Amino acid sequence: MLPREAYTDPAVFEWEQQAIFSGWRCVGHAGDIATPGTQRAVGSGASGVLLVRGDDGTVRAFANTCRHRGHELLACGAEAKRRTIVCPYHAWSYRLDGSLRNAPAFNEFDDFNPDDFGLAELRLVNWHGWLFVDPSGQDSDFAQHVAGLEDVVAPYRPEELRIVARHSYELATNWKVIAENYQECYHCSSIHPELSRISPPTSGENLELGGAWMGGWMSIVDGAETMSLDGRSSGVAIKGLSDQELRTVMYLVGYPNLLVSLHPDYVMTHLMTPLAADRTHVECAWAFPKEVAERPDFDPSYAVDFWDLTNRQDWAACESVQRGLSSPHARPGPLAPDEDGVYQFVTRVARAYLG
């Protein structure tokens, strides 16, 4: 494990926000910014991002700060749909491409050049429907960030799926505790009886990937179709999957804040937003093939209820870990052989600490 201060010290948390979360991180799904003029604010302060779909259909990311006096263009978590971006403080307005449209009372000054006051645009990549931003502008090429993943993710065609359900959770735990829990099933037989009946905790193996992501697969027992309480699916299998993909679930950590679970008939994501050293917001989303998602009688609860139950079992454990780590007597312990995924994750974090 990492030292307890990595999970409890506010100074470590602030450093992580500046160093780890200033590089490539997921900020949402392109489907949430569906039409021109749609605007959405993600994060706040140094990590604040404004996502905007332009008239040309392109999604862009801007620092969520007005070029006049720095007021947020939208409050964190807020959404808007309009033809311009308008600061609510002094009504400076911007086109959807970020260029300054109007600065009230400044048009009378000959030396004021609107071209000098466009919004600060950030590097953004739409990868299989997920939006990734690099606020620092200094992280590696995105292709390196996801090296080795295209063949793993592409068969599920997540960009073509339709998100039909979301759950939001606010957890009293550090973001790394959540990611570490996700990276192992050493705990599954203890706290996940429902999951263990459908997917053997000792099945599968972790992948060796060249980029910043990590993860591995677990198998589904014979006679079950997917991860649900009874093993049955009320949806349809994603077209084009191999026999192996139809019998397994792939669990990936999109370092640092996206957890992706690829199932035979749906894709589930957990998007983590760290709020404090001991507090994390998690949005869980379930996406299904369009042909079933668009049916008026489609009920996604077979997947949603299963994972909401599993999530809450995990959240109770993660919050207990956080409380335990708050003890001055907490010391790093050894990792079991089945926790090699945790080792991959904490090693990546430790390397970030070393710079």
Side-chain angles (χ1 to χ4, degrees), residues 67-317:
R67 291 297 310 279
H68 174 223
R69 297 266 297 281
H71 196 284
E72 292 173 313
L73 299 161
L74 277 181
C76 175
E79 297 184 7
K81 184 176 182 184
R82 48 185 175 233
R83 306 307 299 176
T84 58
I85 303 165
V86 181
C87 177
Y89 197 15
H90 297 100
W92 278 40
S93 63
Y94 304 85
R95 299 176 183 88
L96 299 180
D97 64 3
S99 61
L100 182 64
R101 176 179 176 272
N102 183 46
F106 277 82
N107 56 359
E108 59 191 78
F109 298 104
D110 294 336
D111 59 349
F112 179 77
N113 184 358
D115 293 340
D116 295 335
F117 295 95
L119 298 178
E121 188 167 359
L122 310 176
R123 292 171 75 191
L124 179 144
V125 171
N126 179 347
W127 188 68
H128 290 293
W130 297 302
L131 300 175
F132 295 86
V133 169
D134 171 24
S136 71
Q138 300 176 355
D139 206 341
S140 61
D141 289 342
F142 187 78
Q144 177 57 38
H145 182 72
V146 295
L149 276 167
E150 190 63 29
D151 290 343
V152 176
V153 174
Y156 294 85
R157 297 183 289 180
E159 67 277 10
E160 298 179 11
L161 305 183
R162 180 75 54 82
I163 295 175
V164 299
R166 282 185 169 91
H167 281 189
S168 291
Y169 310 88
E170 187 164 320
L171 310 182
T173 192
N174 186 273
W175 67 277
K176 297 185 296 297
V177 173
I178 300 169
E180 291 169 16
N181 176 82
Y182 183 84
Q183 274 288 85
E184 51 92 357
C185 212
Y186 185 45
H187 69 277
C188 288
S189 59
S190 299
I191 71 169
H192 296 317
E194 297 83 6
L195 182 148
S196 298
R197 284 197 295 268
I198 305 300
S199 184
T202 57
S203 67
E205 61 184 56
N206 285 316
L207 306 176
E208 294 292 334
L209 299 170
W213 289 43
M214 60 208 82
W217 59 270
M218 292 178 61
S219 63
I220 298 172
V221 298
D222 291 341
E225 299 172 312
T226 190
M227 301 299 285
S228 65
L229 290 171
D230 60 7
R232 293 198 294 267
S233 173
S234 297
V236 296
I238 296 170
K239 292 179 180 178
L241 295 183
S242 68
D243 291 342
Q244 169 78 3
E245 290 158 346
L246 290 171
R247 302 304 311 152
T248 58
V249 180
M250 183 68 68
Y251 298 97
L252 300 170
V253 175
Y255 184 81
N257 72 322
L258 180 67
L259 312 178
V260 178
S261 306
L262 304 170
H263 298 73
D265 53 338
Y266 62 93
V267 170
M268 179 180 67
T269 56
H270 294 79
L271 181 61
M272 298 189 294
T273 303
L275 303 175
D278 60 354
R279 196 158 51 94
T280 307
H281 179 270
V282 179
E283 182 184 83
C284 189
W286 290 265
F288 298 81
K290 288 183 180 179
E291 61 266 30
V292 67
E294 293 175 350
R295 293 178 188 167
D297 60 345
F298 175 60
D299 182 2
S301 63
Y302 76 96
V304 175
D305 290 353
F306 174 85
W307 281 110
D308 182 54
L309 171 64
T310 305
N311 282 340
R312 293 180 187 279
Q313 293 165 342
D314 280 328
W315 304 158

